[in-house]
Amino acid sequence: MSRDLLALALPSVQELSPYVPGKPVEELARELGLQPEAIVKLASNENPLGPSPKVTAAISQALPELTRYPDGSGFILKDKLAAHYAVDPNQITLGNGSNDILELIARAWLAPGRNAIFSAHAFAVYPIATLASGAQCREVPAKDYGHDLDAMAAAIDSNTRVIFIANPNNPTGTWFDQAALNAFLAKVPSDVLVVLDEAYIEYAADSDLPDGMAYLSRYPNLLVSRTFSKAYGLAALRVGYAVSSLEVADILNRVRQPFNVNSLALVAACAALEDNDYLERSRLLNSQGMQQLEAGFKQLGLSWLPSRGNFIAVDFKRDAAPINQALLEQGVIVRPVAGYAMPTFLRVSIGTSNENQRFLDVLTSVLKQA
Ligand SMILES: *Cc1c(COP(=O)(O)O)cnc(C)c1O
């Protein structure tokens, strides 16, 4: 692209580094001259179970209607979510992935002269959405790689409109408990929107993590975002949602694309929400896989950040890039996190037990050679 056009973009957009996704399986297979089946991808926190058969059946049934626009209001899905969480359907905003929700928030509240607060080592979309709106990023140093909520509350100034917090956080897997969230919400002024990103909350059931939904009635400036991409296994379809006060939902609805969630995503999400068995299997596979990887790391003498997500950040205490490269050469894709200021770590998504074992075997041989 011409330099002149870049110079004409918003100054904050000139600063912006694009999101770097996990390397696609097909791309590495091509590079190595292997079949895609020979590659193990543990890089994008995807659900290793594959889609629920109930979801694929619902999609097949919806195919004859592909010529029609989706229901732009997402009526049926919102109705089901509202019943699931015992909230008013008008408190729900659907998004093309919860990524879309983050962007809608930025579009509605952020602009040059305003700022958004988030933690160091937090999800990469927070700075992207903020800078794309021309607003300023206030990144607050982390505490033991987790959110320092006291410091984040202290960073609020008169230009702060949004605070993004993720529980658990990606890529660190760190989390905060109910007492920490209580103390934080009590400190945030009511004119600052708190975005509680719970993309992985389904993996943290029966833990000390707070359930963001339980705080909504007390805090009209709180928005809880969740997704069907992770524990529900629908990453390809792009469907997520926010639950908030009616007022916040009304504002988001004003800036939303009329048909931001496609028809197949809508029917798939409805089917997924009702498939409790799938969710239970996702959780079980994840906790078993987490134990498997932790045991493997322990055996290798490696340290890691304890995680409540479906991924784990392992610390090699030296530049992890050559280790990542060696893993790739043997057909294993994990996620470098140097872009998150964690150059000595790799983030590994929890896979099936076979995938986890293959990763551990290859890692063992790579570390022996290094
Ligand atoms: C994966 C992820 C999301 C959202 O993903 P979508 O697929 O857009 O719903 C949001 N926040 C965090 C922290 C994530 O890791």
Side-chain angles (χ1 to χ4, degrees), residues 138-152:
R138 291 202 140 194
E139 189 185 285
V140 175
K143 204 158 98 185
D144 300 328
Y145 290 98
H147 288 18
D148 183 344
L149 291 177
D150 290 336
M152 292 179 79

Side-chain angles (χ1 to χ4, degrees), residues 97-99 123 126 170 197 199-200 227 229-230 238:
S98 56
N99 196 127
F123 187 43
Y126 310 150
N170 170 23
D197 180 343
Y200 300 95
T227 182
S229 297
K230 310 284 165 52
R238 317 303 305 121

